Amino acid sequence: MTDYVLNLENINKRFGGLSALSDINMSVEEGTTHAIIGPNGAGKSTLLNVCIGRLKPDTGSVTFAGETLTGRAPHEITQLGVARVFQTPEIFQEMTLLENVMIPALSYRDGSFRLNAGQKLANQHEIRDEAEHILEDVGLQDMMQTEAGSLSRGDKRRLELSMCLILRPRLLLLDEPTAGMARHDTNRTIDLLKKIKSRGMTKVIIEHDMHVVFSLADKVSVLSRGQIIADGDPQTVREDPKVKEAYLGGAQ
Ligand code: ADP
Ligand code: MG
């Protein structure tokens, strides 16, 4: 039997007269990379925000590893093992890169919010070592003591990814991880995401540029005007006439 770690059932979300998500049903297999693609305005970010508790769906439910996520606060969802990278990076501008990566681990990981001050201090050395390793992995090792606010847009996104990786999430959600990046940075980020893939973490990648995800994804779901119009392996989806039409006729 296939082991689905994330299940979305009958999700509907309206913004006034606009149906942003209609009857979304989707399942993500444990350990795989699942891409959600679609033209701008298709509802991709809305879907991600529903998964992480930032938006409440009008109907339907999201379950993760047997736990219902719908109705839970975003920090509870993080503690269940779900991390996300937003379309606009959310980082601590005035802190160094190293501090930025350490903070999520000190706040959330392994129930660290319950530890006393002494235990936190002991943990800090270990977390610092790990943060340094992650920053090396993403190629930011030369800027560990730099203030995050001074980074380029591409580097900010890599920093935010590092802040997620230190949580060792079971599920990582990425909203357009290469948006606004130059070609060189895009390729570097794709290579990095491939490297993470080999570590067995489940990933949901949202992307409007379908070429970015085809080399990464095991499964692809295509959203257009709030509906899933196709899903399956990348090759099948790429050749689906409905997908071609959505992209050619869509609000690219
Ligand atoms: P995508 O991420 O695929 O580009 P979004 O999920 O951001 O699309 O948006 C889907 C649709 O919902 C768009 O038409 C957008 O304008 C609308 N929308 C998104 N968020 C809101 C909101 N908070 N209030 C009203 N409309 C919204
Ligand atoms: Mg979006």
Side-chain angles (χ1 to χ4, degrees):
M1 208 181 86
T2 315
D3 199 5
Y4 292 112
V5 70
L6 181 71
N7 287 290
L8 276 67
E9 260 179 68
N10 291 320
I11 301 285
N12 281 279
K13 178 73 191 171
R14 298 185 74 87
F15 294 116
L18 175 83
S19 188
L21 297 172
S22 329
D23 291 328
I24 302 290
N25 288 286
M26 205 179 101
S27 297
V28 177
E29 229 176 287
E30 177 107 66
T32 62
T33 299
H34 193 119
I36 301 173
I37 64 168
N40 286 328
K44 304 182 297 296
S45 295
T46 304
L47 189 60
L48 184 130
N49 284 329
V50 164
C51 290
I52 57 158
R54 273 203 159 181
L55 273 179
K56 208 171 161 307
D58 301 331
T59 70
S61 67
V62 180
T63 51
F64 167 70
E67 305 265 2
T68 302
L69 298 191
T70 344
R72 282 187 200 250
H75 72 272
E76 285 181 85
I77 294 177
T78 308
Q79 280 156 17
L80 286 172
V82 181
R84 81 291 167 276
V85 179
F86 290 117
Q87 206 163 353
T88 314
E90 297 192 352
I91 56 177
F92 305 102
Q93 307 277 348
E94 277 145 37
M95 294 191 181
T96 67
L97 270 59
L98 193 58
E99 288 165 341
N100 266 277
V101 180
M102 289 176 70
I103 287 166
L106 292 167
S107 324
Y108 284 118
R109 202 175 72 192
D110 306 330
S112 33
F113 55 100
R114 280 196 294 266
L115 298 181
N116 66 37
Q119 290 169 310
K120 275 194 177 156
L121 215 55
N123 267 4
Q124 202 163 327
H125 297 288
E126 192 192 314
I127 286 172
R128 190 190 168 95
D129 284 348
E130 200 176 334
E132 287 177 356
H133 276 124
I134 290 173
L135 284 165
E136 273 164 31
D137 257 5
V138 304
L140 293 173
Q141 68 278 7
D142 296 335
M143 293 191 274
M144 291 195 199
Q145 300 301 338
T146 305
E147 259 189 29
S150 68
L151 295 182
S152 71
R153 193 159 166 201
D155 286 343
K156 278 184 184 160
R157 312 217 75 196
R158 263 198 288 274
L159 173 61
E160 210 197 11
L161 179 60
S162 310
M163 293 164 76
C164 285
L165 291 178
I166 201 155
L167 292 171
R168 301 181 192 147
R170 188 163 165 194
L171 173 66
L172 178 62
L173 302 155
L174 302 119
D175 196 353
E176 303 205 23
T178 64
M181 283 187 189
R183 174 53 51 193
H184 164 77
D185 264 349
T186 299
N187 292 341
R188 240 171 100 182
T189 305
I190 293 173
D191 287 346
L192 176 65
L193 292 172
K194 281 183 182 154
K195 201 155 81 175
I196 304 171
K197 180 174 171 164
S198 58
R199 290 183 203 153
M201 195 182 286
T202 306
K203 281 173 292 300
V204 172
I205 302 186
I206 283 179
E207 188 52 66
H208 84 274
D209 179 350
M210 47 179 183
H211 303 292
V212 168
V213 290
F214 277 126
S215 66
L216 278 176
D218 302 299
K219 282 272 170 59
V220 179
S221 298
V222 186
L223 256 189
S224 176
R225 298 169 207 265
Q227 290 179 304
I228 294 186
I229 57 163
D231 58 14
D233 64 87
Q235 198 54 35
T236 314
V237 164
R238 199 203 304 255
E239 282 157 16
D240 191 315
K242 289 195 293 295
V243 176
K244 289 184 182 161
E245 195 192 310
Y247 266 87
L248 294 174
Q252 272 270 56

